[in-house]
Structure formats: C-alpha cells, structure tokens
C-alpha cells in the first residue's frame, strides 16, 4: 500500500490587496501555516509523501524569506517527503526561484522540475509535468503516455493546469486531456490549478487548495489522502480539512415585509468561529427602505466579530413610499431631495442604472438622517 497526501495551490506570499490591511498579514500567515497542517494530516493518516501539484508560491519571485522559511518548515516534518511541482504561478520560467530552491532544498524535499520518471519508492514511479511558463500553450502531460516505469510499479502522474478549459484563470490554452490517466496507464493523476476539489474521473482529481483564498469556491480548504494497494488497483481517496480560515457566501433572499435583521442573524455561524470566518452576505429580493437600512446597520454592528464581513446588496430592490419619507422629514429641503430621488427611482423613462443610482442615494440619505436622529 502506498499512501500519500495530494494538495496544491498553497500560493505562499499571496498579497490579498483587496482585503483590509490588518487582515492581509493573517491571511498570508495562514498560507504558510498550511504546510504544518498538511504534515499533521500525513502523520495522522500514515502517509509517507505529500504531493504539491503546483503553485506552492503565488509568484515567480517570492522573497528569499518566503522561500527559505517554507522549505525550512517542510524540513521539520522529516522523514515525511515533499514533492514540489512548478505550476503556472511559479513556473520554470522563474529560473532564479528554482535555482535558489535547489541550493537550499532539504533532504526530504524533491523539486519535480523535469518531465522525467522519478522513483519515489521501491514500487512507485512518479511522472511529473512541470509548467514551463505561465501559459505553456500545450498539454504538458503528453509525455506520460510513453514514459517508461519499472515493471510492477505503481504509476502516478503530477500536473498543473486546465482540463477542457476548466481553469482557475478561465483563459487557459494548455488543456490537459481528461483521459490522460487512461492513456498513460496511470493509477492516479494528481492535479493542481483549480482551488476547489473536483473529481475528473475515478483516477484523476483536483485536490483544491488547502487554505481558501477567495469566495469563488465556497468549500472548506482540504487535501486528499490517497491510498493505492498496487499497480492497477483503484485509488482509495479521503478528503481531510486543512484550513485555518473559512470563506463563506450566504444568500439572503427577502420579501418586502420580512424582518431583514432577524433573517441576517439566522445566517451567522457560532460565535467561536467568527474570528476565522470571512463571510459575504448576498442579498436579493425586495425590502422596505427601513428594513434595508436596518440590515446594513446589523451587518456593520456584527462586522468586528469577523475576520471579514461584507454585504452585497446589488440584487436587493428597495421599496419606498411617500409615507417612508416622513421618517426623513415632513417638509423642507431634505424632504424635497428625498421626494426627487424617489421620483427618479421609479421613473420608467430613466435607464435602469439611473434608477438604481437614485434608489441607492435615497437609501443613503435615509440612513444618514436616521443616524442623526438617533
């Protein structure tokens, strides 16, 4: 039995420039911390080797500290072995990166920088397909079909990239054949690039990233524990969670009479999980202006409990009637401005964009007046 951890896309050094400054450092550190969490899962499940199927680093120019500290962390888990494959973010074009890595690589780390057979066990052969550039423009796994491996050896493939344009970057031209495992006689093909777990077939999988880095996939960070009894045996695959942070998207559909604050509160995770949670509330439907501002106030009040909390309200239409304007003012300049915005928001002669802008301006005016009155 050969058992290993399949992971990919650590993206160590990712900057998270779209996040608040005080959160960026925590998210970057979590990516480095994924190394020790992967090692712990390997120990728990009796795996001897960890495959990193590309994009261990977020760029082709990680700082010397990022590189040295990542390799040093891997060295701490010896005799557990690590096998690093260049991906599209840290491709072989980054010759300085891989040259520097080669000069300090620990004994328990293998840099799979050449498309050649690696014997990683008495009866286990690995066929890596390192990314030559960010967009190689060809299927780098083709060489596996004719690659020679020892008689009776388990035959494994390691690759990074898109299958049938199924790509994290959504613009890949280097498409891996979906039946590569069959064509090359692989017992398992470990894939990287897609940050969420995906099963291509019974012998080909994307592991997903061990630490999420976006709301796109809305799945826990995980790795795969893969066990293969021998050549030709079907792999036994178990997913294990490895994430420090949770990225969640929660839909919130409202009707005009709903209590928006109560509906929002019902979506929230337990209090002890909130510091490590990034939560996006996607509101849709309709809400009275008072309910809309109450929802925004509830989100603002809850935000400090979370690593990150945001409300996306583009899909939430705001209902407002003349009676609602009395809460702004019964007369005077503010009331006139509010009435003008209400009229513009319902004027069918205006474009949808113009009506939406007027509606959002009215909501903003209402919230300001509400804040001043409280």
């Amino acid at each position: 039995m050969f058992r290993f951890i399949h992971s990919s896309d650590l993206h160590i050094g990712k900057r998270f420039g779209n996040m608040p400054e005080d959160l960026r450092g925590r998210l970057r550190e979590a990516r480095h911390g994924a190394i020790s969490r992967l090692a712990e899962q390997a120990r728990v499940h009796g795996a001897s080797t960890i495959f990193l199927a590309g994009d261990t680093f977020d760029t082709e120019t990680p700082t010397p500290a990022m590189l040295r500290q990542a390799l040093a962390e891997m060295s701490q888990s010896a005799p557990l072995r690590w096998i690093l494959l260049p991906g599209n973010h840290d491709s072989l074009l980054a010759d300085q990166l891989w040259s520097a890595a080669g000069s300090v690589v620990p004994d328990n780390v293998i840099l799979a920088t050449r498309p050649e057979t690696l014997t990683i066990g008495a009866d286990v052969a690995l066929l890596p397909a390192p990314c030559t550039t960010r967009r190689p423009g060809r299927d780098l796994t083709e060489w596996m079909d004719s690659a020679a491996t020892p008689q009776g050896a388990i035959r494994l493939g390691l690759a990074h990239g898109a299958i049938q344009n199924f790509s994290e970057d959504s613009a890949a031209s280097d498409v891996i054949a979906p039946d590569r495992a069959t064509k090359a006689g692989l017992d398992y093909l470990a894939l990287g690039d897609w940050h969420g777990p995906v099963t291509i077939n019974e012998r080909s999988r994307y592991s997903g990233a061990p630490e999420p880095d976006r709301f796109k996939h809305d799945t826990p960070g995980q790795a795969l524990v893969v066990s293969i009894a021998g050549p030709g045996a079907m792999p036994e695959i178990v997913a294990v969670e490895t994430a420090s942070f949770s990225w969640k998207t929660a839909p919130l559909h409202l009707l005009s009479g709903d209590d928006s604050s109560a509906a929002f509160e019902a979506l929230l995770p337990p209090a002890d999980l909130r510091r490590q949670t990034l939560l996006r509330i996607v509101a849709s439907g309709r809400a009275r202006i008072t309910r809309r501002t109450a929802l925004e106030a509830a989100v603002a009040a809850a935000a400090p409990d979370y690593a990150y909390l945001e409300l996306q309200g583009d899909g939430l239409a705001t209902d407002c009637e003349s009676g609602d304007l009395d809460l702004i003012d019964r007369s005077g300049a503010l009331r006139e401005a509010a009435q003008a915005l209400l009229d513009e928001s319902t004027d069918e002669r205006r474009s949808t964009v113009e009506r939406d802008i007027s509606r959002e301006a009215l909501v903003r005016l209402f919230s300001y007046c509400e804040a001043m009155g409280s």
Side-chain angles (χ1 to χ4, degrees), residues 169-183:
D169 295 333
S170 70
S173 57
D174 44 326
V175 180
I176 297 170
D179 58 349
R180 180 60 64 206
T182 299
K183 287 182 175 180

Side-chain angles (χ1 to χ4, degrees), residues 57 67 71 84 95-106 111:
F57 300 97
L67 172 61
L71 293 176
L84 277 60
D95 51 357
Q96 185 175 356
L97 162 61
W98 295 105
S99 174
S103 66
V104 295
V105 65
L111 305 180

Side-chain angles (χ1 to χ4, degrees), residues 103-188:
S103 66
V104 295
V105 65
D107 291 341
N108 67 323
V109 176
I110 297 172
L111 305 180
T113 55
R114 295 184 179 181
E116 60 186 23
T117 302
L118 296 175
T119 300
I120 59 173
D123 298 305
V124 183
L126 178 66
L127 310 177
C131 287
T132 53
T133 65
R134 178 132 190 175
R135 301 214 180 279
R138 59 190 177 89
D139 184 351
L140 297 173
T141 67
E142 285 183 346
W143 81 277
M144 298 179 184
D145 294 3
S146 57
T149 53
Q151 183 71 28
I154 294 173
R155 193 172 161 95
L156 305 174
L158 185 63
H160 185 96
I163 284 186
Q164 291 184 336
N165 292 323
F166 188 79
S167 168
E168 187 68 26
D169 295 333
S170 70
S173 57
D174 44 326
V175 180
I176 297 170
D179 58 349
R180 180 60 64 206
T182 299
K183 287 182 175 180
L186 303 176
D187 294 297
Y188 185 78

Side-chain angles (χ1 to χ4, degrees), residues 258-272:
D258 288 346
D259 184 337
S260 57
S261 298
F264 163 68
E265 292 287 345
L267 296 175
L268 302 183
D272 61 333

Side-chain angles (χ1 to χ4, degrees), residues 16-322:
F16 295 99
N18 59 332
M19 286 295 169
E21 185 174 356
D22 59 348
L23 178 59
R24 296 172 197 166
R26 293 178 61 202
L27 294 174
R28 284 195 293 269
E29 183 58 29
R31 312 211 72 71
H32 177 87
I35 297 172
S36 62
R37 293 193 294 278
L38 287 168
E40 177 61 22
Q41 290 291 357
R43 286 190 288 268
V44 167
H45 293 277
S48 63
T49 307
I50 295 177
F51 294 171
L52 296 182
D55 288 357
T56 301
F57 300 97
D58 189 58
T59 71
E60 295 176 339
T61 55
T63 66
M66 288 176 190
L67 172 61
R68 296 276 290 273
Q69 290 171 20
L71 293 176
E73 186 69 39
M74 293 175 192
S75 73
Q76 297 300 309
S77 60
L80 179 68
R81 291 178 302 175
W82 298 76
I83 299 179
L84 277 60
L85 180 81
N88 63 329
H89 279 254
D90 53 7
S91 74
L92 288 173
L93 196 62
D95 51 357
Q96 185 175 356
L97 162 61
W98 295 105
S99 174
S103 66
V104 295
V105 65
D107 291 341
N108 67 323
V109 176
I110 297 172
L111 305 180
T113 55
R114 295 184 179 181
E116 60 186 23
T117 302
L118 296 175
T119 300
I120 59 173
D123 298 305
V124 183
L126 178 66
L127 310 177
C131 287
T132 53
T133 65
R134 178 132 190 175
R135 301 214 180 279
R138 59 190 177 89
D139 184 351
L140 297 173
T141 67
E142 285 183 346
W143 81 277
M144 298 179 184
D145 294 3
S146 57
T149 53
Q151 183 71 28
I154 294 173
R155 193 172 161 95
L156 305 174
L158 185 63
H160 185 96
I163 284 186
Q164 291 184 336
N165 292 323
F166 188 79
S167 168
E168 187 68 26
D169 295 333
S170 70
S173 57
D174 44 326
V175 180
I176 297 170
D179 58 349
R180 180 60 64 206
T182 299
K183 287 182 175 180
L186 303 176
D187 294 297
Y188 185 78
L189 175 59
L191 294 165
D193 178 48
W194 194 248
H195 291 194
V198 178
T199 299
I200 302 303
N201 54 54
E202 56 194 4
R203 295 189 185 274
S204 306
R205 294 250 193 137
Y206 286 96
S207 63
E211 182 67 33
D213 62 358
R214 65 195 71 180
F215 290 107
K216 180 176 181 178
H217 299 288
D218 204 28
T219 53
Q222 67 165 54
L224 301 177
V225 180
V226 184
S227 304
I228 302 178
M234 197 60 65
E236 299 175 9
I237 304 169
V238 177
V240 292
E241 292 193 14
T242 54
S244 171
F245 283 92
S246 173
W247 296 61
K248 296 290 186 182
T249 299
L252 176 63
H253 186 75
L254 298 171
L255 301 177
S256 191
D258 288 346
D259 184 337
S260 57
S261 298
F264 163 68
E265 292 287 345
L267 296 175
L268 302 183
D272 61 333
L273 301 179
R274 295 179 185 181
R275 187 174 185 272
Q276 295 300 112
T277 297
L278 293 88
L279 180 61
R280 171 182 286 169
I281 304 295
V282 181
S284 61
R286 308 192 70 83
R288 292 290 294 271
I289 192 168
T290 52
R291 302 293 191 181
R292 173 70 178 258
T293 55
L295 174 60
E296 293 177 351
V299 171
D305 294 335
Y306 292 82
Y308 179 77
L309 175 62
E310 72 172 19
L311 172 65
Q312 283 195 351
D314 295 347
L316 181 62
T318 305
D319 294 333
C320 184
E321 299 175 359
S322 294

